[in-house]
Each structure stands twice: as structure tokens, then as C-alpha cells.
């Protein structure tokens, strides 16, 4: 981008209104039962960091943090595809309090989890107490998709991911016996932004969709950064000695910038892995060591990286519904979005104090912006003028 274009964009932006514990394990999905009880990245694609942890770094113990501190329900929703593939979608849900309240549907980025929206959910419901929040986990992140032989399905195409989100919406509607879907706002961070834009573009939610929010991802910068992704993945620690060490690494490398956000979301990104050492002498016998490894193998998604974001800016601008783009910096705007913003085709909010995980680094500010976006576009709040026939029936002149 030329200096002149940057200067012009900066002037335009200035005119915008300010509008678990160490032994945590993910609960297994059994019998479809309910339980009620992610440093600023180099790209919009990355939900990971790149700095290796120092073995001398002091680790601060994290208190237990459970999903129930932020959501009312944890659900596992079974679904069978026509191909015979079996899905078990994992979601966190707080239903809307009444039929007029909105539902905010959140989709995380690659390598992250539904708990990426935990602090945001708490802040949003403080502003909109009746609102519902549904935080969905992508396939092979927290949701599982298995083929008829029981092997994990590794299709991460954007169409498959948006189909998963549409399936979850249908299953939630059926489970909660909703006659129709509530008025819905889709929210997607990074890869999740591409997913919600595709769902909006396809119109699968019909008239229930009020609008969509994309957090810190644009087509241009995401595609430009693809060449760095192999290095980013290769430089991540392969494992951590404890959940506390993983939380500390996310904070020290500034993947995340708030300890409470890291304590809420990081445990769900990892799985325990045990190794056995039989060489212990002096009667010590077998020694079993537990480490924590990444729950999602992001290398499996590599064939789909370019496809996720190609055409995203055009789809974002062209889909029906109100549009909000939240960025951590204005330099992330590509040419198509810059032109669209100058034409007033979407609302743009910049949160410069955050890193890539805007909703975790600045959950209160993100919730404030999203709540105002809802109020501005709430159809139920529209006051329409009386019809001519009603005025005539009242004996009034028209």
C-alpha cells in the first residue's frame, strides 16, 4: 500500500465514530448426553505463537477454570452425514432468555477452541443480559467427524466447515424446540471469520440472520502470510510439562495478553500424553511422565489454507446482513475492504491495544462494540409509522 493510500485510509478511519487445573482433561462425549454442571500473530490465519519457552521461566500456577463459569450448558450433538460420516459437535451454550432476545453464534480460529469466547461471553451478557451465546468448536478441534471406519475426517474445506456450523444451528433449534431460529448475529475470529462469512453468503439461516462480525482477518493479509505458516508451526513447542507451563508460554510470547483469558482458553487446546520409562534403577521401577500436547494437528489443515481466505473480502461485502469488522490494526485492511469501508458498506472498529485474539485480549471492548452493533440493527426495536388504513379507522386525516 502506498504512503498516500495509507494516509488517506488513516484519515477516513479517524472520522469513524467510537462506536482448569493442571490435571484438566476435556470431558469425553458419551451417548450424546448434555453436561450442565488462543502474542499477536504474524497473520490472520495463525492462532499460534512462535517463541520457544525458556526452561528457567518462573511458572505461576493457574486456578481451575471451567466452562460453567461462562456458559449455562455444554452439549454434544450427534449428526449423521449422507456419506455415512458421523459427527459429534461440541458446543457451549447459554440460550436466549426469551423469544425476542438475540443469539450470538461464535466460531473460533484455527487451533483455538470455543473457550476463546469465554471472557467475551461474560462481558456481552453483562451488557445484554437476555442475549444467548452459542460457541461452536470446529471439526477435529473439539467436535469430531469420523468416517464409517472410525477414522477422523480431515476435510477442512470452507464448505465443510460452514456446513458444520449450519448443522449445529439446525440441531440446536431441534434440541431446544424452537419453532424458528432467534434473531442471530454470527461472530467469527480468524478462520472462524471466513466460516461465518460463507454461511452468510449462502443464506442458510434465512431471515433469522441479522448480521455478522469478523474479528481480525482480511483476505489480503491472510493470503500474504501463508508462506510463513510452516515456520510458525515448526517453531511452536511440541509439548508442555504442565497446563501452567502452557498458560505461561502463551502470555510470555504474547499470543494472549491477559492471564484470565489464558486460564480460560488454554487448557482446552491441549491433551495429556503419557510416556513410560522402564530404565529406573535402584528399585524405582517404571516411571510414567505426563506432558501436554496440542489437541489439534494444524499441519492437517495445510491443503486448505489458501482456499479458506480466497475471495473472502468480496463475500464479506456481498453477503446479505449488517456487517462489522473488528481489527487489531488498520494495516490489516486490503484494497477491496478499504474501498468498501470508504463507501460505507460495513462498520469498522479498530482495537489497537489487543493482539490477534481481540476477543480475548480486549473482551470488554469487543463486547461493547458487538452489543452496540446489535442495538443498531435490532429489527424488533424498529418503530414503524402507522398504516394509512389504521389512521383512517381512527378518524384521522391523512
Amino acid at each position: 500500500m502506498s504512503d498516500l493510500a495509507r494516509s488517506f485510509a488513516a484519515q477516513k478511519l479517524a472520522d469513524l465514530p467510537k462506536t482448569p487445573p493442571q490435571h484438566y482433561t476435556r470431558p469425553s462425549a458419551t451417548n450424546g448426553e448434555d453436561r450442565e454442571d488462543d502474542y499477536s500473530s504474524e497473520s490472520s490465519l495463525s492462532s499460534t505463537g512462535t517463541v520457544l519457552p525458556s526452561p528457567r521461566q518462573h511458572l505461576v500456577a493457574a486456578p481451575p477454570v471451567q466452562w460453567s463459569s461462562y456458559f449455562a450448558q455444554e452439549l454434544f450433538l450427534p449428526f449423521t452425514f449422507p456419506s455415512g460420516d458421523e459427527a459429534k459437535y461440541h458446543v457451549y451454550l447459554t440460550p436466549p432468555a426469551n423469544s425476542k432476545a438475540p443469539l450470538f453464534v461464535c466460531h473460533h480460529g484455527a487451533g483455538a477452541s470455543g473457550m476463546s469466547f469465554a471472557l467475551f461471553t461474560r462481558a456481552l451478557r453483562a451488557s445484554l443480559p437476555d442475549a444467548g451465546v452459542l460457541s461452536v468448536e470446529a471439526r477435529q478441534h473439539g467436535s469430531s467427524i469420523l468416517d464409517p471406519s472410525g477414522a477422523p475426517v480431515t476435510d477442512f474445506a470452507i464448505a465443510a466447515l460452514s456446513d458444520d456450523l449450519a448443522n449445529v444451528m439446525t440441531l440446536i433449534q431441534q434440541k431446544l424446540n424452537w419453532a424458528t431460529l432467534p434473531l442471530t448475529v454470527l461472530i467469527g475470529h480468524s478462520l472462524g471469520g471466513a466460516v461465518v462469512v460463507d454461511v452468510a453468503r449462502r443464506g442458510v439461516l434465512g431471515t433469522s440472520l441479522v448480521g455478522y462480525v469478523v474479528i481480525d482477518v482480511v483476505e489480503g493479509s491472510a493470503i500474504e502470510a501463508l508462506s510463513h505458516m510452516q515456520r510458525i508451526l515448526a517453531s511452536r513447542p511440541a509439548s508442555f510439562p504442565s497446563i501452567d507451563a502452557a498458560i505461561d508460554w502463551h502470555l510470555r510470547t504474547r499470543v494472549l495478553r491477559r492471564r484470565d483469558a489464558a486460564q480460560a482458553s488454554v487448557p482446552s487446546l491441549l491433551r495429556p500424553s503419557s510416556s513410560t520409562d522402564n530404565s529406573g534403577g535402584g528399585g524405582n521401577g517404571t516411571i510414567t511422565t505426563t506432558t501436554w500436547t496440542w489437541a489439534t494437528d494444524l499441519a492437517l489443515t495445510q491443503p486448505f489454507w489458501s482456499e479458506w481466505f480466497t475471495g473472502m473480502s468480496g463475500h464479506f461485502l456481498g453477503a446479505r446482513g449488517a456487517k462489522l469488522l473488528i481489527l487489531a490494526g488498520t494495516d490489516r485492511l486490503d484494497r477491496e475492504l478499504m474501498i468498501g469501508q470508504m463507501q460505507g458498506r460495513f462498520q469498522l472498529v479498530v482495537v489497537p491495544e489487543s493482539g490477534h485474539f481481540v476477543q480475548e485480549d480486549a473482551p470488554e471492548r469487543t463486547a461493547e462494540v458487538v452489543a452496540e452493533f446489535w442495538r443498531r440493527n435490532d429489527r424488533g426495536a424498529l418503530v414503524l409509522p402507522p398504516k394509512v388504513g389504521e389512521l383512517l379507522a381512527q378518524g384521522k386525516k391523512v
Side-chain angles (χ1 to χ4, degrees):
M1 186 185 302
S2 68
D3 292 339
L4 178 60
R6 288 183 182 274
S7 176
F8 183 63
Q11 182 177 359
K12 294 294 292 184
L13 291 169
D15 293 336
L16 291 172
K18 297 291 185 184
T19 45
Q22 181 167 337
H23 298 291
Y24 172 94
T25 57
R26 166 94 64 170
S28 60
T30 57
N31 302 323
E33 294 180 350
D34 310 345
R35 264 192 282 272
E36 305 231 2
D37 289 34
D38 252 310
Y39 100 44
S40 179
S41 70
E42 291 189 27
S43 75
S44 298
L45 169 62
S46 172
S47 295
T48 66
T50 63
V51 181
L52 295 174
S54 166
R56 295 172 297 179
Q57 178 70 27
H58 177 65
L59 303 180
V60 179
V65 176
Q66 302 293 337
W67 62 264
S68 55
S69 299
Y70 306 96
F71 301 95
Q73 303 175 43
E74 180 188 41
L75 305 175
F76 294 93
L77 306 169
F79 179 83
T80 301
F81 290 87
S83 64
D85 293 346
E86 296 284 344
K88 188 159 286 186
Y89 294 119
H90 182 213
V91 305
Y92 301 102
L93 173 68
T94 298
N98 55 66
S99 60
K100 295 183 179 180
L103 177 65
F104 295 88
V105 180
C106 306
H107 195 296
H108 60 79
S113 77
M115 289 298 288
S116 177
F117 287 92
L119 269 64
F120 164 82
T121 295
R122 183 170 62 189
L124 181 66
R125 298 196 72 251
S127 180
L128 300 172
D130 291 341
V133 180
L134 172 65
S135 190
V136 180
E137 297 204 318
R139 54 175 58 198
Q140 318 313 358
H141 284 65
S143 298
S144 66
I145 315 288
L146 305 178
D147 66 20
S149 71
V153 174
T154 57
D155 179 7
F156 295 97
I158 199 67
L161 297 174
S162 61
D163 280 345
D164 288 340
L165 182 55
N167 292 339
V168 166
M169 296 297 291
T170 300
L171 294 168
I172 288 292
Q173 181 179 354
Q174 295 171 350
K175 184 169 187 63
L176 299 184
N177 297 313
W178 289 336
T180 60
L181 286 172
L183 293 178
T184 300
V185 175
L186 298 175
I187 305 174
H189 170 250
S190 198
L191 166 62
V195 175
V196 303
V197 165
D198 194 64
V199 169
R201 178 188 65 85
R202 294 164 57 190
V204 296
L205 300 184
T207 58
S208 67
L209 181 61
V210 173
Y212 45 97
V213 181
V214 171
I215 301 177
D216 209 46
V217 57
V218 298
E219 177 182 349
S221 60
I223 292 177
E224 288 174 3
L226 292 179
S227 60
H228 303 294
M229 284 308 300
Q230 287 285 8
R231 179 178 60 81
I232 291 175
L233 294 183
S235 60
R236 288 197 307 172
S239 64
F240 300 93
S242 67
I243 291 289
D244 295 336
I247 290 172
D248 183 79
W249 177 82
H250 279 78
L251 293 169
R252 189 173 57 81
T253 59
R254 296 180 69 76
V255 175
L256 298 174
R257 303 186 179 189
R258 288 177 52 148
R259 181 165 291 276
D260 53 351
Q263 290 169 349
S265 66
V266 169
S268 62
L269 308 181
L270 305 168
R271 297 291 183 272
S273 177
S274 297
S275 60
T276 301
D277 183 1
N278 295 314
S279 61
N284 292 329
T286 300
I287 299 175
T288 300
T289 302
T290 298
T291 58
W292 296 83
T293 59
W294 301 105
T296 302
D297 184 358
L298 286 176
L300 296 176
T301 68
Q302 181 180 358
F304 307 93
W305 290 348
S306 179
E307 186 255 1
W308 285 348
F309 304 108
T310 300
M312 180 184 172
S313 292
H315 296 157
F316 173 79
L317 295 171
R320 298 186 63 177
K323 305 164 181 60
L324 170 61
L325 178 61
I326 302 176
L327 298 178
T330 58
D331 60 317
R332 286 166 169 81
L333 276 179
D334 59 27
R335 181 177 181 275
E336 190 168 7
L337 288 180
M338 183 180 296
I339 294 173
Q341 190 274 321
M342 293 174 182
Q343 295 172 339
R345 298 173 65 182
F346 65 94
Q347 180 186 356
L348 173 65
V349 174
V350 179
V351 187
E353 67 270 23
S354 71
H356 178 49
F357 287 83
V358 182
Q359 77 278 12
E360 297 196 65
D361 293 342
E364 295 83 6
R365 175 59 177 154
T366 307
E368 175 189 0
V369 170
V370 171
E372 183 57 33
F373 175 74
W374 160 253
R375 295 187 184 102
R376 186 182 303 113
N377 296 283
D378 179 9
R379 300 171 193 159
L382 294 176
V383 179
L384 301 176
K387 297 179 180 179
V388 173
E390 295 173 349
L391 293 175
L392 292 175
Q394 296 171 9
K396 297 181 179 179
K397 294 180 180 181
V398 294

